[in-house]
């Protein structure tokens, strides 16, 4: 089935991502009241993230990178953030994670994706949302790598293109074989 989403005003990186990784035919949780979501979260979210969610919905890239959809009512944002940072704090106590500031602290990390092997992608919430740096927590090394000027969609696009913006950290880009897919999370 072809995807009939309009692409005339779409960000070029998102447009290319939709060509390389076709959105699902029946995406889940794409209709978002962003004002309400952002009010509950206490922060404005980056536009490329909201555009991505409006096209792909809730799900996983290559069944490996699980995108956090803050507008999915099946998830509790506060609980999700708490669980992720509890896990990182336990890694830190075990010497497997460097120091970090958690959201909602100024410049704190706000998660937008996780992987099957314990890695996370975050925004560093410093400045205006379009300028937030992407940061990756690499479980193997216990490091957090910050990439200023890298947005969420550009990060995912580079991973799909096997150009890991985090060098040898974060994930094995061989997971992104040709014909990448986005698998929607099923309705509960």
């Amino acid at each position: 089935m072809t995807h009939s989403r309009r692409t005339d005003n779409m960000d070029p990186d998102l447009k290319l991502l939709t060509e390389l990784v076709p959105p699902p035919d029946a995406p889940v949780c794409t209709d978002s009241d962003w004002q309400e979501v952002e009010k509950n979260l206490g922060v404005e979210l980056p536009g490329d993230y909201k555009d991505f969610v409006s096209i792909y919905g809730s799900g996983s890239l290559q069944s490996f990178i699980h995108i956090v959809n803050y507008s999915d009512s099946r998830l509790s944002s506060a609980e999700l953030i708490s669980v992720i940072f509890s896990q990182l704090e336990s890694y830190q106590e075990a010497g497997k994670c460097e120091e970090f500031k958690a959201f909602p602290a100024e410049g704190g990390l706000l998660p937008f994706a996780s992987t099957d092997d314990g890695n996370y992608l975050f925004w560093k919430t410093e400045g205006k949302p379009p300028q937030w740096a992407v940061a990756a927590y690499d479980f193997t090394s216990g490091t957090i790598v910050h990439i200023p000027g890298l947005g969420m969609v550009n990060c995912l696009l580079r991973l799909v293109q096997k150009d890991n913006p985090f060098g040898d950290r974060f994930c094995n880009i061989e997971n992104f074989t040709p014909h990448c897919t986005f698998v929607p999370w099923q309705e509960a």
Side-chain angles (χ1 to χ4, degrees), residues 3 5-23 48 51-52 55-56 153-154 157 160-161:
H3 302 280
R5 292 173 183 86
R6 293 188 53 121
T7 59
D8 355 344
N9 296 325
M10 189 181 290
D11 172 83
D13 286 342
L14 184 55
K15 183 176 181 182
L16 181 54
L17 185 62
T18 64
E19 292 167 6
L20 296 173
V21 182
D48 67 331
D51 291 343
F52 178 93
I55 293 170
Y56 287 92
V153 169
N154 185 258
L157 176 61
V160 165
Q161 293 174 318

Side-chain angles (χ1 to χ4, degrees), residues 120-140:
Y120 293 98
L121 288 173
F122 302 94
W123 292 290
K124 185 174 182 183
T125 59
E126 195 167 66
K128 301 257 185 227
Q131 284 79 43
W132 288 353
V134 168
Y137 168 71
D138 178 62
F139 179 77
T140 304

Side-chain angles (χ1 to χ4, degrees), residues 37-53:
V37 170
E38 292 169 335
K39 179 181 161 203
N40 291 336
L41 199 54
V43 69
E44 179 185 349
L45 295 166
D48 67 331
Y49 167 78
K50 294 185 279 191
D51 291 343
F52 178 93
V53 168

